[in-house]
Amino acid sequence: EVQLVQSGTDVKKPGESLKISCKGSPYSFTNHWIGWVRQMPGKGLEWMGIIYPGDSDTRYSPSFQGQVTISADRSIDTAYLQWTSLKASDSATYYCVRRNSGNFPFDVWGQGTMVTVSS
Amino acid sequence: EIVLTQSPGTLSLSPGERATLSCRASQGVSSSFLAWYQQKPGQAPRLLIYGASTRATGIPDRFSGSGSGTDFTLTISRLEPEDFAVYYCQQYGSSFTFGPGTKVDIK
């Protein structure tokens, strides 16, 4: 069964950095886009950005451009979402998602990583 | 950016009833690149419908999607207890945007 397995819950203080991960298996990781979706507590879904691990082509939502960095290490089939300086407003659940090449939606979702930023 | 609006915000129905959820786009969605997702409390969303009307793998046929251009509909023909959840539409033809969701709860 194809799955995306994300890193666990994180609790951080404002100003700290964070990198969460998403490992895909068992499929051709380099031939599928991996995206990230934010869900703030009690709210809807927001697309943040997406990366093609095959060539590291990365696109960001204008709302998240400059706020986060998306990367991937195709040698270990893992994508990452990172912050250099967290804010309380970054508290949310973050999902990684898979997208087939071509015009397809997100067919596989990770289990979500809950991030809490609090002093 | 294409903005999606969903209505109603909440739909209160009984098991066995028919549910009709609407998704309207601020401009035409190219080639009907419109998807529907279901999210239950504490779970990740699950893809139900893509291409406006194609069911994803393993999705029961009581779920159906229709529409084109700017107006799309998700229909659940007969609600089962496990169908009470939040439903999101998403367009993926021009970047990606989600609608705000429709909650289907038990009347």
Side-chain angles (χ1 to χ4, degrees):
Chain A
E1 177 191 0
V2 172
Q3 56 181 349
L4 298 173
V5 178
Q6 298 185 228
S7 49
T9 298
D10 253 298
V11 180
K12 293 288 190 181
K13 290 182 166 49
E16 292 186 329
S17 63
L18 176 64
K19 192 174 189 177
I20 63 175
S21 66
C22 169
K23 181 174 175 61
S25 66
Y27 69 93
S28 178
F29 186 76
T30 54
N31 292 336
H32 294 76
W33 293 85
I34 292 285
W36 290 93
V37 174
R38 183 176 79 174
Q39 187 167 41
M40 299 180 77
K43 302 299 184 183
L45 305 171
E46 302 171 89
W47 173 67
M48 302 176 70
I50 199 164
I51 187 167
Y52 191 74
D55 61 7
S56 295
D57 181 7
T58 308
R59 293 110 187 257
Y60 293 94
S61 161
S63 299
F64 292 92
Q65 178 83 48
Q67 308 304 308
V68 296
T69 301
I70 293 171
S71 60
D73 183 343
R74 58 191 184 184
S75 70
I76 55 172
D77 295 345
T78 300
Y80 302 96
L81 176 66
Q82 69 180 88
W83 296 259
T84 56
S85 181
L86 287 160
K87 302 183 284 288
S89 58
D90 292 318
S91 297
T93 296
Y94 295 88
Y95 294 101
C96 63
V97 294
R98 188 186 82 158
R99 185 195 196 201
N100 271 319
S101 298
N103 267 320
F104 291 97
F106 304 147
D107 64 341
V108 181
W109 291 64
Q111 84 276 19
T113 295
M114 184 181 295
V115 174
T116 301
V117 184
S118 174
S119 55
Chain B
E1 174 183 297
I2 297 177
V3 176
L4 300 179
T5 305
Q6 292 187 243
S7 61
T10 302
L11 194 53
S12 296
L13 295 167
S14 300
E17 288 194 295
R18 181 184 187 90
T20 302
L21 288 66
S22 174
C23 176
R24 178 161 290 176
S26 60
Q27 55 189 279
V29 176
S30 58
S31 303
S32 295
F33 291 140
L34 192 286
W36 291 91
Y37 299 86
Q38 176 195 66
Q39 187 178 32
K40 298 178 183 179
Q43 296 185 18
R46 174 175 71 145
L47 177 65
L48 296 176
I49 301 283
Y50 64 95
S53 61
T54 302
R55 278 187 297 277
T57 302
I59 302 304
D61 60 8
R62 64 179 181 273
F63 291 92
S64 63
S66 63
S68 64
T70 60
D71 289 291
F72 299 88
T73 300
L74 174 70
T75 302
I76 310 171
S77 59
R78 287 177 53 86
L79 282 164
E80 298 287 342
E82 62 267 27
D83 299 336
F84 292 92
V86 179
Y87 293 84
Y88 295 95
C89 60
Q90 177 207 33
Q91 69 80 24
Y92 53 95
S94 172
S95 188
F96 307 93
T97 48
F98 290 96
T102 290
K103 182 178 182 180
V104 179
D105 64 14
I106 299 176
K107 188 172 181 181

